Structures are given as C-alpha cells and as structure tokens.
Amino acid sequence: MIKGSLKLASSFRNKMIFLFFAITIVPFLLFASYAYTKSVEGIQNANATFSMDYLEQTKRNVEAYLNQLNDQVNDLIGDGALQAMLAAPPDEAGEEEAVAVDLLNLVYQKKKQIDALQVRVFPLPMEAYPTYMRTLGAPPGVEREAWFERARQSVVPTWSLALGSGPGSGPLLVYVKTFTGLHDRTPRGLVATDLSESHLSRFFSPTKRLEGQRFLLLGEQGEILFDSSRSEWTGQPLPSAELEQRRQVQTEGEMTIPLQGEEQLATFVNMDSLPWTLVSLTPMKALTKPVSDLNRLLVFFLAAYLVCSVGVVAYITLSFTQPIFQLVRLMRKLEDGDFALHIPHQSRQDEIGWLYRGFNRILRRIESLIEQSTLAERSKKELEFQVLSHQINPHFLYNTLDSIRWKAENHGRTDIGEMVSALGNLLRLSLNQGKELTTVGRELEQVKAYVQIEQARIGRPLRVAYFFDERMLERPLIRLLLQPLVENAIQHSIRENIDRGKVVLTGRMDGEDLRIEIADNGRGIPDSVLRALDSEESAPVRGRRTGVGLRNVNERLKLYFGPDYRLRIDTGEQGTRIVIRHPALPPDDAGAERRLAQPGGETSQDRPANAKDASYRPDGPEG
C-alpha cells in the first residue's frame, strides 16, 4: 500500500495537479492573508497616529480651559467685596441676613464670568452664616464630607467627582479651592466650581468618530472622571490593569487590550498640569470592517477560482499529462529491450507533438548508434596501441644520444660528449614525461643544459648567474617557462657583446606567488615585439621570428592563471628585465596537473603559505 501511494505521488500527472494548485491557490491564500495583516496593521497605525495627535490637541485645549477656569476663580477670590464680607463673622442676625444677600448677589454676578455649570462659595466658619447656607441649598453636614475635608486641609486646589442620584442629573467634576485673606493667612472660605458633562464633551468631539469609539479622562488613581459615551463608565475604575500599569510608567503610548470581550486599540496621553490621563478606545472590529468586507468578497472569488481551476486541471490532464503518461509506458518497454515499438503519429505542433516525433527519431537512431559504438571501441583499441608505440620513441632517442656520447668519449672528444649529454638532459627535461608541470629546480637544470650547449656552439663562456630561494626549488612550475626567455636574452641581447653581456636569474617567494626575474644588460626589446606581445593575435611577427618565445610564455601564463599573471617587461638601451609571477602551488599537490588541464582553474585557495626569501647559488655564475 505504501509503495502504491509513493508511486501515485511520483506520477507526473499528479505532480502537475499538485503543482497547479500550489502555484495558484496557495499564493492566492498567502497573498490574501498577507494583505489582510498589512491592511489591519496600516489601519491600526494610521488610527493610532490620528488618535495620538487628537489627544495631544485635546490635552492642550483642556489644560488651557482649566488654566482659564483657575484664573476666573482667582478673580472671584481676589474680589475686595468678597474678602470684606468674609473678613469677620457677623455678630447679629440682621447683619448676617444682609451679608447673605450681598454674598449671593456677588456670587451670582461673578458666575456669569466663570465658564462652569455652578459656582458655590462656602464661608468659614459656615455656622456663622446659617441664612446664606440655607439659601445656597447646601445639605446639612456638608463640612464633614470627604471632599470638603480634603479641600480644607490641602494647600492646593483639589478635584472630586460627584455622581448625581436624581433623574436627569449627571456626574459633576468639582474644582475646589480654599482661599485666605489677601493680606493674611487666615482661611476665609472655599470655592467649589462644578463642571458638567457638557463642559468636557466639547473637547472630546472629533468631526469623524468611528463606531464604538470613546474617550476617557482618568484620575490619579485610575478612576474614570469623564466618559464620552454617555458617562457609562464615569465613576468606575479603569477596566484594564494593563493600560493602568502602562500609563503609570509612560507619558503616552498605544496598545491593543481586551475590553468587554473584544479587542480595543487604546492610545493615551498624560496631562502636564494634573495627574490625569486622556484615553482613546477604538474597537478593532470598527477599524477592520472595510477589510472584513473585502475578505468576504475574496472568499467568493476564491470559490469561483477553485471551480475554474478544476476545469483547467481536467483540460491539462486530458491534453498534456495523459499523452505524456502514454509516452512513459513506451519508454519503459524500450528499457526492457523492445526496439520494435510502434510510436503513434502525433500531428500536434506543440511540445507534446515534438516530444513524440523526437522520441521516434531517437528510437530509430539507437540501432545505428550501437553499431557506431562497436566501431568506436575498435578504434579506441587501435589508438591505445599507437600511444604505447609512440612512448618508445623518446627512450630510443635517449639511448641513441647516450651511445653517441660514449663513442665520443672513447675517441677522446669529451667536448662532444658533454654537448651530447647536455642535449640529452635538455630533451629529457623538455619532454617531462608528457606532464605539463615540472619544478623550479628541474626548470633551472634545463636552463643550465641549454646554456652549456650554447657555450659549446659559440666556443666561449657565457656569463649567466642564478640567485634563487632554496625553499622554492621543489615548487611546481609550468614547464618551458625559463629556457625560452633565457634563449631570447642570449640570442637577441648579449650575443653581439659576449665579453660584457650578462644574464641574471633571480627567484623568490612573493606572498602567494613565485616571483622570477630574468635581467640582461643587452640592447633591449624592440617596440614592435612588445606591441605584438600585447595584441590579441597569436601569429608570429612577419620576417624574423623575434619575440616568439616571449609571446609563447606570456600566452601560456595568461591561459592557465588569467591576465593578472602576464609577463611584466621593463626594457631600454641599458638592458631588459622580465618578471614572471606564478602561483605558489604546494610541492605535493597531486591535483595540480588535473586543474591545469582546465585553464584558469587555479585559485589562490590552492596556494601554500610562503617562507622568507633566501639566496641560492647552486653552481655559481657560469662562464
């Protein structure tokens, strides 16, 4: 059963169906989810920013109003007539009644200048003004109420919340201020200023309010002093401990809190002059209502999209996957060795038709390819035999040169023997057993063999000096790099002045590279040769073959290691200096020969760390 399920899942047709739904439905759902999340986030941020700005403006307006109210109350307190009436309690009943009438008239007149619902003045002591207190309508024992005692004992104005109990009565926010005489510290009375809901609601009435949005004014202990939603929560503690804790440590902020079973976006700002906080609460469902409507529309489109997708899948299955499935069965028969297959003719001009016709052509070519494979195997054997035969030729040449050297020495011609021996060494080192990589030491031996042959040909010693770091002699080096350059220096620079001509070879480690310099004091390299060296053409210069060795070495370095490793040539009438830079490959790097088979494959990661330079003079200057 498991194998059957795996086979069903690996079917191309089923994969196509799964892939179709994966690239159509899944991205659609992901995009819808992402768009909804980002839309809610954007709406929430925008509303939070708007609410925060509105609360800041409301805070400034409320504080300006409270400052104005305090100034108006101070004008009442500073009135000379009020101070004179309350300077001393009246002694007689008639005098007390006259004071009561004057005091009521004064308060009534001043009330017109104070932006409040009601202004009450309580003289101290109150028992000395019974007529005034009865006319004022103050309840008996008002001086023993908590708000009165708190205001009387405080040196700063106090606020208290009075909740009405009668029909049509609303909560009042009472501003109480105790005042003394103008020229002494003797208490004269209290001024209680009542602010109704209408006095505060005008500061919490934005032009556009979302459904369910409300504004709160919180007191110092977290009690709700004002609720813009018909004072529903006025007098109650804030129903969110998280918001209460947050406002105690921050001056303003925004957060999402659960209230009454739904998420609310809360923004708050603390006031500067009073320990109050302005709060805006907005239901999240009111914010996301447009997005929710859009989501319902998306669900409808998704259902229609699924119906269309099923139709498209059926069409793809019948028109594409079923013919491919039939072709797979034919291919399995071919795997079993049945070459006598009948491929149905497909006149379709799409990829399916091309696939059937292409498979038919492949099938018809398999038999011819089998025959060609047999012939190719036979040719391969013949080539291997030829390669083995050609390997005999270099050994035959070595043996022949050794025989010539032996006969020359037997006849007393040691010069001929040495020349033949040098030629044999030169040939052996040049061939390098067919390998492209040699070592710096073997390359120097090849140069010395060449110099020895040239000295024998010229009949005069050549001044060639070698100075190499001993630790770089075992480093791998591309073969035939130095000998062509030394030959070029001898043939074209110092040959016309053998007595004074000199060639110096220097080698040292330079970071992750081998640096080899070949310097001579000859007549320099012509400009035409240098221009041909830098050109893209690899053909030799017309006429004399001057510069062929230079160009060969330069092209090989660039081919294997890139343009950064080309020859650096400094030439003039006083001589020529050629600098070769070669990557410092590890001495035992077995994969270097294979990497050189792919030009440009060597990287700095394959190079070893270098040691300090040291001079090396194996044989001293020759000549």
Side-chain angles (χ1 to χ4, degrees), residues 11 13 320-330 332:
S11 170
R13 175 174 53 191
F320 296 97
T321 59
Q322 192 65 31
I324 293 177
F325 188 71
Q326 182 180 1
L327 186 61
V328 170
R329 290 199 297 266
L330 294 174
R332 288 177 178 173

Side-chain angles (χ1 to χ4, degrees), residues 39 167 187 209 281 458 521 622:
S39 298
R209 180 186 299 185
L281 296 177
I458 298 174
N521 59 351
E622 293 199 7

Side-chain angles (χ1 to χ4, degrees), residues 348-484:
R348 297 170 55 168
Q349 297 302 318
D350 57 1
E351 288 80 356
I352 300 298
W354 301 342
L355 187 60
Y356 269 80
R357 290 189 292 273
F359 181 69
N360 188 30
R361 287 193 295 269
I362 291 175
L363 182 61
R364 297 295 171 254
R365 291 186 60 187
I366 287 179
E367 294 180 355
S368 61
L369 290 176
I370 294 176
E371 296 178 0
Q372 293 177 10
S373 176
T374 303
L375 295 176
E377 185 67 23
R378 185 180 305 167
S379 299
K380 178 182 176 183
K381 294 296 183 181
E382 293 177 357
L383 290 175
E384 290 178 352
F385 178 76
Q386 292 177 8
V387 169
L388 292 175
S389 300
H390 291 163
Q391 289 180 350
I392 300 175
N393 295 335
H395 296 286
F396 173 75
L397 291 176
Y398 299 152
N399 295 334
T400 303
L401 291 174
D402 284 340
S403 298
I404 296 174
R405 176 188 176 186
W406 177 75
K407 288 187 176 183
E409 290 179 351
N410 282 343
H411 288 79
R413 298 301 302 270
T414 57
D415 54 342
I416 297 178
E418 291 177 357
M419 189 173 181
V420 171
S421 176
L423 179 59
N425 289 335
L426 181 63
L427 178 61
R428 175 177 56 84
L429 295 172
S430 298
L431 295 176
N432 196 36
Q433 299 180 351
K435 296 180 181 179
E436 186 64 19
L437 278 182
T438 181
T439 63
V440 177
R442 290 174 60 87
E443 190 73 2
L444 285 178
E445 291 180 11
Q446 181 181 354
V447 171
K448 293 175 182 177
Y450 167 75
V451 172
Q452 185 177 358
I453 293 174
E454 283 297 314
Q455 289 183 140
R457 289 175 57 196
I458 298 174
R460 300 172 64 183
L462 297 174
R463 301 172 64 190
V464 181
Y466 310 89
F467 301 93
F468 276 78
D469 184 346
E470 221 173 61
R471 288 163 293 184
M472 67 181 291
L473 297 180
E474 297 300 323
R475 294 284 185 171
L477 187 75
I478 298 178
R479 66 189 182 98
L480 292 177
L481 283 187
L482 304 183
Q483 186 270 332

Side-chain angles (χ1 to χ4, degrees), residues 117 161-164 169-173 195-197 225 230-231 234-235:
L117 176 66
L161 181 64
L163 300 176
S169 60
L172 297 176
L173 190 59
L195 305 181
S196 66
E197 179 184 359
L225 303 178
R230 297 181 180 180
S231 301
T234 303

Side-chain angles (χ1 to χ4, degrees), residues 16-266:
M16 284 293 296
I17 295 175
F18 174 77
L19 182 62
F20 180 79
F21 281 99
I23 64 178
T24 55
I25 306 301
V26 174
F28 186 87
L29 294 176
L30 292 177
F31 175 76
S33 175
Y34 177 79
Y36 177 80
T37 303
K38 288 300 181 180
S39 298
V40 171
E41 182 181 343
I43 294 175
Q44 179 176 340
N45 292 337
N47 185 268
T49 303
F50 172 78
S51 299
M52 192 67 68
D53 293 340
Y54 181 77
L55 290 180
E56 288 286 350
Q57 183 62 41
T58 302
K59 181 184 76 170
R60 289 192 291 269
N61 294 338
V62 170
E63 289 185 338
Y65 167 70
L66 295 181
N67 290 333
Q68 179 184 357
L69 179 65
N70 184 67
D71 294 340
Q72 294 170 352
V73 171
N74 287 337
D75 290 341
L76 173 60
I77 293 173
D79 189 271
L82 177 64
Q83 290 287 338
M85 294 178 197
L86 302 180
D91 296 332
E92 300 177 357
E95 183 183 357
E96 188 270 334
E97 292 179 357
V99 170
V101 173
D102 294 339
L103 187 56
L104 288 172
N105 289 332
L106 177 63
V107 173
Y108 178 75
Q109 294 295 328
K110 290 293 184 180
K111 165 63 180 65
K112 299 178 181 180
Q113 303 174 6
I114 299 177
D115 187 9
L117 176 66
Q118 185 179 0
V119 177
R120 294 170 293 167
V121 176
F122 296 93
L124 294 176
M126 286 191 299
E127 61 272 11
Y129 302 87
T131 303
Y132 172 76
M133 294 303 296
R134 286 194 303 272
T135 308
L136 187 63
V142 66
E143 69 277 6
R144 292 187 297 275
E145 293 184 5
W147 67 270
F148 195 95
E149 288 292 337
R150 185 171 67 254
R152 188 172 182 178
Q153 296 175 5
S154 176
V155 297
V156 296
T158 62
W159 291 84
S160 62
L161 181 64
L163 300 176
S165 57
S169 60
L172 297 176
L173 190 59
V174 184
Y175 176 61
V176 185
K177 190 172 186 178
T178 304
F179 64 93
T180 62
L182 296 178
H183 306 292
D184 56 39
R185 307 292 294 178
T186 303
R188 294 283 192 270
L190 282 76
V191 178
T193 307
D194 299 336
L195 305 181
S196 66
E197 179 184 359
S198 61
H199 285 84
L200 296 177
S201 61
R202 57 186 173 179
F203 301 109
F204 297 93
S205 300
T207 56
K208 292 184 179 180
R209 180 186 299 185
L210 294 175
E211 181 181 357
Q213 185 179 16
R214 68 171 65 194
F215 297 93
L216 304 177
L217 178 62
L218 304 182
E220 183 177 4
Q221 303 302 324
E223 71 279 10
I224 298 177
L225 303 178
F226 170 78
D227 180 6
S228 65
S229 183
R230 297 181 180 180
S231 301
E232 181 182 354
W233 292 352
T234 303
Q236 302 179 16
L238 180 65
S240 175
E242 183 181 1
L243 179 57
E244 174 63 22
Q245 182 180 4
R246 185 86 171 267
R247 81 180 187 99
Q248 296 293 338
V249 296
Q250 294 182 359
T251 58
E252 63 180 22
E254 60 174 284
M255 58 191 306
T256 304
I257 58 175
L259 282 180
Q260 297 183 340
E262 63 177 352
E263 290 291 318
Q264 300 267 354
L265 175 62

Side-chain angles (χ1 to χ4, degrees), residues 442-545:
R442 290 174 60 87
E443 190 73 2
L444 285 178
E445 291 180 11
Q446 181 181 354
V447 171
K448 293 175 182 177
Y450 167 75
V451 172
Q452 185 177 358
I453 293 174
E454 283 297 314
Q455 289 183 140
R457 289 175 57 196
I458 298 174
R460 300 172 64 183
L462 297 174
R463 301 172 64 190
V464 181
Y466 310 89
F467 301 93
F468 276 78
D469 184 346
E470 221 173 61
R471 288 163 293 184
M472 67 181 291
L473 297 180
E474 297 300 323
R475 294 284 185 171
L477 187 75
I478 298 178
R479 66 189 182 98
L480 292 177
L481 283 187
L482 304 183
Q483 186 270 332
L485 300 181
V486 173
E487 178 182 357
N488 188 77
I490 293 176
Q491 298 296 333
H492 303 289
S493 293
I494 68 171
R495 190 178 183 88
E496 297 178 359
N497 192 1
I498 296 297
D499 295 333
R500 301 186 60 183
K502 180 173 64 175
V503 180
V504 179
L505 283 76
T506 306
R508 60 183 176 86
M509 307 293 288
D510 185 8
E512 296 184 351
D513 294 332
L514 305 177
R515 180 185 176 92
I516 301 176
E517 295 183 4
I518 302 174
D520 63 70
N521 59 351
R523 60 181 179 177
I525 301 176
D527 293 338
S528 59
V529 175
L530 295 179
R531 286 193 300 269
L533 184 68
D534 293 331
S535 66
E536 297 295 331
E537 299 179 357
S538 59
V541 181
R542 295 179 180 178
R544 296 179 58 191
R545 295 180 57 84

